Amino acid sequence: MAFFKLLRQSPLSARIGIAMVLINVIAAVFTPLIAPYGETEIVGDVWMPSSSENYLGTDHLGRDLFTRLVYGARNTIVIAFVTTMLSFFIGSLLGFFAATLGGWTELSLSRVIDILMAFPTLIFALIALSVVGTSVTALIVVIAVLDSTRVYRLSRAVAMDIAVMEFVEAARLRGERIWWIMRKEILPNAMPPLVAEFGLRFCFVFLFIAALSFLGLGIQPPTADWGGMVRENAGAITFGILTPLWPAGAIAFLTVGVNLIVDWFLQLASGLKD
Amino acid sequence: MTRLLEMRKIEIEGYSSEEEKWMPIIKGLDLTLDKGEVLGLIGESGAGKSTFGLASMCYTRGGCRISSGSILFDGMELFGAPEEELRKIRGVRISYVAQSAAASFNPAHKLIKQYAEAPIQHGLMNFNKAEEKAVDIYRRLLLPDPEGIGYRYPHQVSGGQLQRAMVAMAMACTPDLIIFDEPTTALDVTTQIEVLAAIKKITREFNTAAIYITHDLAVVAQLADRIMVLRYGNLVEENNARELMANPKEEYTRALLSVRTLREDRDLSDTEHDIVLEVENVSASYTGKASEKVLEDIDLKVRRARTVALVGESGSGKSTLARVITGLLPQLEGKVIYGGKELPPALKSRKPETLRIMQMIYQMPDTALNPRQRVRDVIGRPLTFYFHMRGKEKDDRIRELLEMIELTPTKYKDRYPGELSGGEKQRVCIARALAAKPEMIICDEVTSALDQLVAEGILKLLQDLQNELRVSYLFITHDLATVKAIADEIVVMLKGRIVEQGVKKDVLTPPHHAYTDLLLSSVPEMDPDWLDGVLEERKRKGLKSADFVQS
């Protein structure tokens, strides 16, 4: 109920964002029902213009672009979501540990994270992926670990503010274990900023996968994904064919949508403080 | 006398985002003020006194608005006047002194620069002129080193001095009216008396009118010519200060005025040898270095079913002592003995059973309760943790505990802390402590964040619980009125050492230790002549409180 009340009070920008994300989610969930053809099915000539059979035309191998876009939504969004979840799990767990225990634990954890952060993320990912290979699992783990450093920073900072509150001290005095303190005392109070950050990081991860795919190290063909589709069709642009702009537009569309929601969340989260 | 300010039928509303409508805060109040007159606005939190006081310069805080009324300042209508006109008056003819000087000064600029900002901004004088005047005002406010103090940064002066520097800032343009919003509430009693003396002196010397907002009737009695008592945005009573103190007409005013003793001196002989907690020669330091001790040679005994009041000003080490006793800060030297056995210094090495018998209640109930836990979870956790209670047994005990703290179980058990008032939150904290069936409870300033009448309710509850459950209290406080009301024994601390301790009657009857004397004489009394009397007395003795604490 509280959720619907919140939704009713949401600003227009957030509603637009929700609608944009919903379109993507629907595409990801009902992919086979929406897509007119199979993911790798070749339906016609190369780079055909849009028509009643191929709404957005065909790609460089003659596959239906609309179908590829819908499948791409499923692949990219699911992988980005799983990656963000994993990175939040690792990052916030370590962050809460550091904030709650303090002392040497915090110091050593923070320095290790600092070292990880010192490398440019893209280069680090390229090295790691060329070592472990470009399977989906490897992709998820590598990006999640790299991204969790940022989550660690945030969750540690948020948790440190909470860990000095008297209700946490009361729990310590009661003799509670660290795990309980983290789960019951700190986590519920750290949720609002973490949720807002989740949306933001989801965008970054998603863009990062697109970038990796564009470089050829992300999701491998023939699996459809938006970043890869831009790369595969990039050559078309020199002939004045607009095909690569569709997946690029889809990336922008989802990113803008998520950001509109995140902005609203951030506003709510900061509003909670005063 | 000429009329300076006349506010008629002021109505102020605040926007409630929960109810999604404007709610009345001030419900049609009138206020008149003559030149040079000091008016006291008295009330508990939420009475609307600050909102009303600020409205005198036609200003409201964010989310509030003045919906109707008339504010006539020196013949000029402020309500509805353009912002540009108001800007010319604010800071020049009407100025404001806020509660927390530390939060109101910019830490990056020297005091005098902040002092000079208003007069220069309004084009009244250049910096050199302002500087000259600042020194004069600093001197009048009895600040030490008036020529040099302006060139310090806010963190380089003490709290009381900073508050006086803020009064000086308000005086910079020689205004006709100053609004004081609880200027001494955050200060220690011995500092408060100096700030009060300074405010009284300077408003008299410049014949400045003032609106003095506070919750403390004894404080306002020292300054005000006239007092208005507010409650829920309405006027309860208004009268000449002396008249109001001597002859309160309304029940509510009488309740605020009455000085209560909850605990008479009682026969303590039966508990003389029943010692619950003993602290022996304890020293402690936050850095672990013996040269930076914050506690030295503390010896203390807490006997069963007695209340030991630990009194001292901020920085005296009383809360640190509580941290040592609970194990949060392991001591450098000495022992903490509980029930005849020495306790391990560090919290980690203490057994759950040891932790259970010693519970703690905090000053700020807002931060002492997890905002995401319901009342039944807050109280239920110690039951599960210490006694492994589940299901119906636990529910029954929660109900019993809620009844003990005088909250209706069905109404309160599913609420979140955000849905409770300050007093109710503190009661829930008490219930959480009681759930562990402790033998001793450390109460760290438990009433200082609460309104007077609410605080009295909490103190009374603690008393009743003690009589019923025979629990001991170590009651940490800076408020001597509370101490007088409830303590059996008193321990006076100064800079990490105990200067005097004993049974209440002995400590409170002269001869005192010099510091105890200073502390006792600094507590404002419900007597309009008290401040002048004390200052006179101190002058005669040649004693200045700040000297004492600094020496």
Side-chain angles (χ1 to χ4, degrees):
Chain A
M1 283 306 100
F3 176 74
F4 285 111
K5 198 184 165 201
L6 208 65
L7 207 62
R8 200 160 48 79
Q9 292 172 343
S10 63
L12 184 66
S13 62
R15 290 182 194 190
I16 294 173
I18 291 170
M20 288 163 85
V21 171
L22 261 179
I23 292 173
N24 278 288
V25 170
I26 289 168
V29 173
F30 300 105
T31 312
L33 299 180
I34 298 169
Y37 305 101
E39 189 179 0
T40 53
E41 194 182 336
I42 293 173
V43 293
D45 209 351
V46 174
W47 289 334
M48 285 200 316
S50 54
S51 65
S52 55
E53 279 99 55
N54 310 110
Y55 303 129
L56 301 177
T58 57
D59 69 358
H60 69 301
L61 293 178
R63 294 171 296 194
D64 181 49
L65 194 71
F66 179 70
T67 307
R68 299 279 291 167
L69 266 187
V70 176
Y71 272 100
R74 169 180 272 188
N75 297 330
T76 321
I77 291 174
V78 168
I79 292 176
F81 186 75
V82 172
T83 311
T84 319
M85 286 296 271
L86 186 64
S87 102
F88 265 75
F89 179 73
I90 303 171
S92 53
L93 191 71
L94 292 179
F96 287 176
F97 252 120
T100 323
L101 287 173
W104 278 105
T105 321
E106 190 199 347
L107 212 63
S108 41
L109 259 174
S110 294
R111 292 302 80 79
V112 170
I113 301 275
D114 281 350
I115 293 171
L116 273 178
M117 285 175 88
F119 294 100
T121 323
L122 192 59
I123 295 177
F124 204 115
L126 288 179
I127 297 170
L129 285 173
S130 43
V131 171
V132 296
T134 49
S135 67
V136 170
T137 326
L139 193 68
I140 289 176
V141 172
V142 167
I143 301 177
V145 168
L146 286 177
D147 211 53
S148 68
T149 55
R150 267 82 182 170
V151 181
Y152 168 85
R153 278 292 175 112
L154 175 80
S155 53
R156 175 177 152 274
V158 172
M160 272 169 84
D161 280 348
I162 301 166
V164 295
M165 301 279 262
E166 278 153 352
F167 60 82
V168 178
E169 189 181 301
R172 281 184 213 265
L173 284 179
R174 203 187 301 137
E176 297 285 3
R177 287 176 194 287
I178 174 110
W179 183 238
W180 197 91
I181 292 179
M182 275 167 52
R183 216 160 34 94
K184 296 281 184 168
E185 306 284 355
I186 293 181
L187 182 66
N189 291 293
M191 272 324 256
L194 284 183
V195 168
E197 180 71 5
F198 186 89
L200 215 56
R201 298 255 49 112
F202 173 77
C203 270
F204 286 137
V205 167
F206 167 75
L207 289 173
F208 196 64
I209 293 174
L212 282 175
S213 300
F214 182 79
L215 293 173
L217 274 170
I219 301 164
Q220 295 303 306
T223 312
D225 94 292
W226 294 346
M229 285 163 71
V230 177
R231 181 179 61 111
E232 290 159 358
N233 296 294
I237 209 90
T238 47
F239 305 111
I241 299 169
L242 297 183
T243 312
L245 293 188
W246 289 109
I251 294 171
F253 186 76
L254 181 60
T255 313
V256 169
V258 172
N259 269 300
L260 286 175
I261 301 177
V262 167
D263 279 349
W264 173 47
F265 267 180
L266 281 174
Q267 200 188 334
L268 283 179
S270 64
L272 282 176
K273 274 171 200 153
D274 54 41
Chain B
M1 282 245 189
T2 38
R3 186 59 39 100
L4 179 68
L5 178 72
E6 192 160 341
M7 296 164 78
R8 287 273 164 247
K9 298 221 162 30
I10 298 293
E11 287 183 23
I12 302 175
E13 298 172 328
Y15 189 75
S16 152
S17 50
E18 250 165 55
E19 310 238 345
E20 295 178 37
K21 61 178 182 195
W22 292 87
M23 311 286 278
I25 298 174
I26 299 294
K27 302 158 188 164
L29 283 182
D30 295 345
L31 181 153
T32 56
L33 194 65
D34 289 332
K35 283 204 167 116
E37 189 186 18
V38 179
L39 172 75
L41 283 184
I42 272 273
E44 300 185 318
S45 56
K49 51 192 193 304
S50 286
T51 312
F52 188 46
L54 282 172
S56 63
M57 47 180 164
C58 201
Y59 176 83
T60 54
R61 295 209 171 115
C64 297
R65 65 173 185 201
I66 302 174
S67 52
S68 72
S70 145
I71 303 160
L72 216 55
F73 177 75
D74 207 10
M76 186 184 148
E77 177 60 55
L78 298 186
F79 183 58
E83 199 61 25
E84 193 52 34
E85 289 299 309
L86 294 173
R87 214 176 62 80
K88 281 183 195 153
I89 286 183
R90 292 177 187 157
V92 183
R93 302 201 60 196
I94 309 179
S95 56
Y96 176 72
V97 177
Q99 173 171 357
S100 168
S104 305
F105 272 103
N106 184 336
H109 293 295
K110 290 175 179 163
L111 295 177
I112 201 147
K113 199 175 161 204
Q114 303 189 50
Y115 168 94
E117 200 179 330
I120 293 174
Q121 196 74 55
H122 287 287
L124 295 179
M125 48 187 98
N126 60 19
F127 185 78
N128 291 346
K129 192 87 191 300
E131 190 182 10
E132 230 169 80
K133 190 160 177 234
V135 172
D136 175 49
I137 290 183
Y138 288 153
R139 186 172 292 122
R140 286 167 191 265
L141 286 167
L142 310 170
L143 280 162
D145 182 22
E147 284 86 15
I149 195 163
Y151 295 93
R152 296 199 204 167
Y153 287 98
H155 71 272
Q156 292 171 318
V157 302
S158 73
Q161 289 168 359
L162 200 59
Q163 195 68 39
R164 276 181 281 169
M166 194 148 103
V167 176
M169 206 156 85
M171 271 293 179
C173 301
T174 331
D176 299 301
L177 169 65
I178 302 185
I179 299 154
F180 293 98
D181 195 352
E182 305 252 15
T184 61
T185 307
L187 302 174
D188 282 322
V189 278
T190 54
T191 324
Q192 164 171 289
I193 190 169
E194 288 166 21
V195 176
L196 285 179
I199 291 176
K200 187 162 188 168
K201 182 164 176 282
I202 201 145
T203 47
R204 267 187 200 163
E205 283 174 5
F206 285 94
N207 195 30
T208 314
I211 295 177
Y212 196 99
I213 301 162
T214 177
H215 66 281
D216 191 341
L217 201 46
V219 164
V220 83
Q222 311 310 321
L223 298 164
D225 302 309
R226 199 150 47 86
I227 294 177
M228 287 172 80
V229 184
L230 303 185
R231 195 181 197 191
Y232 310 132
N234 290 312
L235 181 70
V236 176
E237 191 170 355
E238 176 177 2
N239 209 337
N240 171 294
R242 281 171 194 277
E243 189 68 22
L244 185 110
M245 306 288 290
N247 216 342
K249 293 201 173 55
E250 297 296 321
E251 187 59 42
Y252 180 67
T253 318
R254 242 171 280 156
L256 287 179
L257 263 170
S258 66
V259 181
R260 265 142 297 212
T261 306
L262 292 165
R263 171 159 295 176
E264 300 298 334
D265 288 326
R266 52 180 188 167
D267 181 24
L268 296 166
S269 50
D270 59 325
T271 51
E272 183 60 42
H273 301 290
D274 194 353
I275 294 167
V276 178
L277 180 93
E278 199 172 349
V279 175
E280 243 182 54
N281 295 322
V282 159
S283 319
S285 122
Y286 279 104
T287 52
K289 290 184 197 142
S291 57
E292 291 168 15
K293 280 182 192 166
V294 284
L295 285 180
E296 273 206 86
D297 287 335
I298 303 291
D299 277 294
L300 185 79
K301 284 189 181 79
V302 180
R303 295 175 175 85
R304 189 169 307 282
R306 288 200 196 177
T307 302
V308 178
L310 196 56
V311 197
E313 304 195 310
S314 47
S316 61
K318 47 195 198 309
S319 290
T320 309
L321 181 56
R323 293 177 73 81
V324 169
I325 293 173
T326 53
L328 285 169
L329 178 73
Q331 67 266 29
L332 279 181
E333 298 153 17
K335 293 179 199 166
V336 178
I337 301 163
Y338 193 95
K341 267 188 273 175
E342 190 184 336
L343 293 181
L347 181 66
K348 266 188 260 172
S349 31
R350 293 190 185 179
K351 294 192 191 77
E353 184 60 16
T354 323
L355 299 173
R356 180 184 71 75
I357 41 191
M358 202 152 52
Q359 292 290 315
M360 182 128 181
I361 307 173
Y362 295 90
Q363 173 174 11
M364 306 292 289
D366 294 310
T367 54
L369 293 175
N370 187 337
R372 309 274 166 166
Q373 283 176 3
R374 291 177 195 276
V375 168
R376 64 177 146 82
D377 298 322
V378 171
I379 305 176
R381 181 60 193 170
L383 299 175
T384 321
F385 188 79
Y386 293 122
F387 306 110
H388 311 291
M389 284 189 189
R390 304 222 178 276
K392 190 171 177 305
E393 189 193 10
K394 184 170 149 187
D395 288 344
D396 288 346
R397 180 69 181 145
I398 292 174
R399 194 172 314 124
E400 199 180 302
L401 283 163
L402 280 170
E403 274 162 11
M404 262 192 218
I405 55 162
E406 294 155 16
L407 295 180
T408 324
T410 44
K411 198 169 147 198
Y412 285 97
K413 72 176 170 32
D414 289 323
R415 289 201 189 180
Y416 284 104
E419 297 162 332
L420 303 173
S421 73
E424 286 165 353
K425 278 182 212 164
Q426 197 58 290
R427 281 169 193 262
V428 172
C429 291
I430 294 173
R432 175 172 65 186
L434 289 177
K437 291 198 177 165
E439 290 180 30
M440 185 179 115
I441 300 180
I442 300 174
C443 306
D444 192 355
E445 303 268 12
V446 289
T447 55
S448 53
L450 301 173
D451 282 322
Q452 190 186 342
L453 297 181
V454 178
E456 270 166 27
I458 296 287
L459 292 179
K460 189 168 174 306
L461 175 70
L462 286 171
Q463 295 279 298
D464 295 345
L465 291 169
Q466 185 171 54
N467 293 337
E468 198 179 322
L469 308 168
R470 291 183 57 76
V471 52
S472 312
Y473 296 133
L474 181 62
F475 206 96
I476 298 170
T477 181
H478 68 278
D479 180 10
L480 281 145
T482 310
V483 173
K484 285 181 187 168
I486 64 149
D488 294 311
E489 292 172 49
I490 298 177
V491 177
V492 184
M493 283 185 75
L494 172 67
K495 284 188 257 163
R497 290 170 177 275
I498 291 177
V499 293
E500 190 167 10
Q501 62 178 320
V503 180
K504 175 164 75 172
K505 204 173 79 196
D506 298 343
V507 176
L508 292 183
T509 32
H512 311 291
H513 178 274
Y515 178 68
T516 315
D517 191 45
L518 176 77
L519 213 52
L520 284 172
S521 69
S522 299
V523 180
E525 284 166 25
M526 295 279 184
D527 168 11
D529 298 319
W530 166 82
L531 181 65
D532 294 331
V534 174
L535 292 175
E536 193 68 24
E537 170 97 13
R538 286 194 185 169
K539 210 180 212 171
R540 203 161 44 76
K541 285 189 190 163
L543 177 80
K544 265 194 198 156
S545 60
D547 301 343
F548 192 89
V549 181
Q550 272 157 21
S551 67

